[in-house]
Amino acid sequence: MSNEVYMKGDITVVANEMKKLVNNKEMSDIKFMIGPNRKPVYAHRCILSTRCDVFRAMFSDQESKSDKNNKEIPFVLSDITPDIFLAVMEYIYTGCVSLTGKIAIDVLGSSIEYGLDELRKLCNQYLVENLSINNACDAMQAAVTYGQDDLRAESMCYIEENTQNVFKSKSFHEMSEEALSVVLQSDRLMMDEPDVIDCVREWATVNSVVMGKSMSEVARKVVYHLRIPLLTPEELHALEEETRKDKLLPVELISFAWKCHALQKGERGNPLTTRRAGTTMRESHKGMDVL
């Protein structure tokens, strides 16, 4: 009968020692040229191939080629910056990673690219624990881009609780059409609908200039999540006048809103006639019994 017992040492000590090997030219057997400026980063094949299937495949492909000098040729990775690559290397060597708000999202993207699931979890954890007014939209954008459901849920909760301030942040204007559409589908946004519409108009104005497209092109999907029937007839008339100038909203959305008012009824199951948590109750809502 075996009496073997697996005893764990202090992994922090090991991690600190292994970190000394990151980008250490001594005894390295591979070189990467990183970023547009081709910064050299030194590494060790045995460590990278053991810890990462992507690197293992990369090295196997190199070895399969007939030229014996292939191993002397550095790998050129121009689509990743040195700080991001070194963070990935730190994780591979030590099982730990040093993250900042500046690099966390890009490291998340690289973790997915290199199949490093534990690093992906660490990046998500960092982003969730450091959500703020200024970065909540960035976190949501990352969640949508990289398909991170937990990060998406946590970011959405933060945005819902801090809607007014988040929608005024710079990062709000930098959200993609897809990410903003996800946010606007929430019933829990703490903002009245005219203010939501104003913020979307500002977002569309900024992105129209950046992308060189009309506001209607930029926001063609986003506007279908604006709950225009929640406006009073007076507010709706003013919105219609603005729309004649900037063409932000399609005619059918305005028409649908007027129809709801004319019939004094919302459309059951349609989120466009559902009040958000921050919607101010209006006299015109009383007739729309499914709001």
Side-chain angles (χ1 to χ4, degrees):
M1 183 175 179
S2 173
N3 61 354
E4 180 179 341
V5 178
Y6 182 68
M7 304 292 291
K8 289 185 179 180
D10 188 345
I11 60 173
T12 304
V13 174
V14 178
N16 289 335
E17 291 297 321
M18 289 297 293
K19 189 172 181 179
K20 296 175 183 177
L21 293 176
V22 177
N23 198 20
N24 190 333
K25 187 175 183 179
E26 184 179 357
M27 298 177 63
S28 67
D29 57 0
I30 187 171
K31 182 167 72 171
F32 295 91
M33 305 301 289
I34 304 299
N37 295 326
R38 302 292 194 268
K39 179 179 178 178
V41 173
Y42 300 92
H44 307 79
R45 291 172 185 269
C46 62
I47 295 176
L48 268 57
S49 60
T50 300
R51 294 273 288 150
C52 178
D53 290 340
V54 172
F55 282 119
R56 184 185 302 118
M58 189 186 298
F59 301 152
S60 295
D61 180 64
Q62 185 190 56
E63 290 173 0
S64 69
K65 296 179 180 178
S66 58
D67 189 347
K68 294 182 180 180
N69 294 321
N70 277 334
K71 285 191 174 183
E72 303 300 321
I73 301 175
F75 285 93
V76 178
L77 302 177
S78 57
D79 59 347
I80 186 171
T81 60
D83 54 346
I84 306 303
F85 189 72
L86 287 171
V88 173
M89 291 294 103
E90 179 186 2
Y91 170 76
I92 289 176
Y93 277 76
T94 70
C96 306
V97 62
S98 303
L99 295 174
T100 66
K102 184 179 179 181
I103 69 171
I105 290 176
D106 288 329
V107 175
L108 171 61
S110 294
S111 72
I112 296 170
E113 179 181 356
Y114 287 98
L116 301 169
D117 195 55
E118 189 64 30
L119 178 57
R120 177 190 65 81
K121 293 177 182 177
L122 291 173
C123 291
N124 276 315
Q125 179 183 342
Y126 175 88
L127 290 169
V128 169
E129 291 178 353
N130 290 275
L131 283 170
S132 69
I133 297 299
N134 293 324
N135 67 23
C137 291
D138 294 331
M140 174 59 79
Q141 181 67 58
V144 172
T145 300
Y146 299 121
Q148 301 301 295
D149 292 340
D150 290 345
L151 178 59
R152 172 172 162 167
E154 294 291 343
S155 300
M156 191 72 253
C157 285
Y158 188 91
I159 292 171
E160 288 167 345
E161 293 171 0
N162 301 275
T163 311
Q164 295 279 353
N165 291 325
V166 169
F167 273 36
K168 294 176 183 177
S169 69
K170 178 183 177 183
S171 61
F172 175 81
H173 294 145
E174 297 172 350
M175 294 184 80
S176 70
E177 184 179 37
E178 182 181 8
L180 181 54
S181 293
V182 169
V183 171
L184 292 177
Q185 291 176 57
S186 172
D187 293 339
R188 299 178 180 177
L189 294 178
M190 292 300 299
M191 181 181 277
D192 197 20
E193 206 62 25
D195 296 328
V196 173
I197 294 170
D198 286 344
C199 287
V200 169
R201 175 172 272 106
E202 288 182 22
W203 172 88
T205 300
V206 171
N207 284 273
S208 173
V209 174
V210 172
M211 299 171 68
K213 297 181 179 180
S214 68
M215 289 174 63
S216 59
E217 286 180 288
V218 168
R220 66 187 185 281
K221 295 179 181 178
V222 169
V223 293
Y224 283 93
H225 301 293
L226 296 175
R227 305 183 180 189
I228 302 172
L230 301 183
L231 304 184
T232 65
E234 293 76 18
E235 291 169 331
L236 183 54
H237 177 72
L239 179 63
E240 192 171 19
E241 290 299 312
E242 287 184 273
T243 298
R244 286 197 179 99
K245 299 174 184 177
D246 60 24
K247 311 299 182 184
L248 176 65
L249 301 172
V251 174
E252 60 263 31
L253 286 181
I254 300 289
S255 298
F256 175 71
W258 281 121
K259 175 184 174 182
C260 291
H261 281 285
L263 298 177
Q264 291 191 322
K265 188 176 182 180
E267 190 173 272
R268 190 172 298 279
N270 189 336
L272 298 186
T273 57
T274 302
R275 289 195 298 271
R276 305 184 195 271
T279 302
T280 299
M281 183 66 182
R282 291 162 168 76
E283 189 68 25
S284 57
H285 294 172
K286 294 179 181 179
M288 299 185 193
D289 56 352
V290 299
L291 282 170

